Amino acid sequence: MSHPEVLVMQTVFSTVLPDVPRAALIWLALIAVPAIAIAALIIRPGRLRPVFAGRISEAAMPSSLELAEEARERARYAQEVEVAAARAAATAERRRAEWLAAQEEVDEAWRAYEAAEEDVHRLAAAAALPLPRTAQTPAEYADRERWLHRAALDAQWRKEITVEQLSDILGHRGWDPRRHPVEQELLLRRLVRDNLRARQQTAREREQAAWRDAELAAAAARSLREEAYAATRPAVEPRSALSLADLTGPEATRELPVRDPAPAARGRAAVAAY
């Protein structure tokens, strides 16, 4: 080895060796402090446990500002749901009134149809009897035509036949004005009966649709009422933070146990009858 290399090695050793004891002391201190803390925790865990548990719980609990903000948000949401529930209840009442009106319309249409059916049976029995013979003169045919037109106009005025049907009668499309008035009235009553039957079926379909709408509106109102009631209840208490005992107990190697809080109280507020 040359002389310059020897000088370099001497310089390195003279610089590093004095710092070795100091570095060793620092490492020993870094190792000793955690070792002492762990030993104290194992030997006397009761002293450190309340301190650590209190700090963990305090860190997990929300602050007062967060609690106030949460309370404001809950109050605002409860107010919005209450408004929506009131509107839904009004809608349900309106749908129920529409359904009752449709049901009354069905009853009226059925009564009208039954009356028309009785007229048909009565006139059919009369038409089965021998009809009085009259002179088949132009004057007689003109009287029969006038009777048919007047009876058709009266039926249309009572909304028993449509305007198109009245036009067919007046235009003699499918109608023979030379028939006897008893036969003409029987044909007209049958037409009225068929119209009332179709009207009753249409009213029945409208009543069923109104009933479904009323049921849906009532269900929506009940749901919003329950949600509004739940929104006004006190919030569920937050879960308690994990204590140090959960980490140092005999079950520390298992999954940390978490107890579910008691469910929030829910009830059903009184809703208007639907």
Side-chain angles (χ1 to χ4, degrees), residues 26-210:
I26 294 175
W27 279 105
L28 289 175
L30 293 176
I31 295 174
V33 171
I36 294 173
I38 293 173
L41 184 61
I42 295 174
I43 297 173
R44 301 292 296 277
R47 291 186 176 181
L48 297 178
R49 185 179 301 171
V51 177
F52 289 163
R55 291 181 180 180
I56 294 174
S57 300
E58 183 179 356
M61 293 295 292
S63 64
S64 58
L65 293 177
E66 292 175 346
L67 291 176
E69 181 64 23
E70 182 181 354
R72 285 193 297 267
E73 288 295 326
R74 189 165 58 250
R76 181 185 60 80
Y77 174 74
Q79 185 177 6
E80 292 177 355
V81 175
E82 184 67 27
V83 172
R87 293 177 179 175
T91 301
E93 287 290 347
R94 186 171 63 254
R95 292 286 186 267
R96 178 174 180 270
E98 293 173 356
W99 168 63
L100 292 176
Q103 194 175 38
E104 182 64 25
E105 184 180 354
V106 170
D107 295 339
E108 292 179 0
W110 179 255
R111 287 192 294 267
Y113 166 74
E114 286 185 331
E117 183 69 19
E118 292 178 0
D119 289 342
V120 169
H121 286 304
R122 176 179 56 81
L123 291 173
L129 299 176
L131 299 177
R133 299 182 60 86
T134 57
Q136 298 181 359
T137 61
E140 176 64 21
Y141 289 149
D143 288 342
R144 294 181 179 183
E145 182 179 7
R146 283 193 297 269
W147 184 93
L148 176 62
H149 291 177
R150 184 172 60 253
L153 288 171
D154 291 341
Q156 202 283 324
W157 182 80
R158 292 191 299 268
K159 307 295 184 182
E160 294 176 345
I161 63 175
T162 64
V163 176
E164 290 78 7
Q165 291 170 340
L166 174 62
S167 178
D168 292 338
I169 294 174
L170 298 180
H172 304 162
R173 291 185 291 272
W175 291 81
D176 186 1
R178 295 173 298 178
R179 287 178 176 271
H180 193 276
V182 175
E183 296 177 340
Q184 298 285 15
E185 186 175 5
L186 176 59
L187 294 175
L188 187 60
R189 287 293 98 190
R190 285 174 177 171
L191 177 63
V192 170
R193 178 201 60 188
D194 295 341
N195 289 343
L196 293 177
R197 178 59 177 173
R199 188 178 303 173
Q200 192 272 339
Q201 291 177 350
T202 302
R204 181 61 178 173
E205 292 175 358
R206 286 198 299 267
E207 185 268 340
Q208 291 177 352

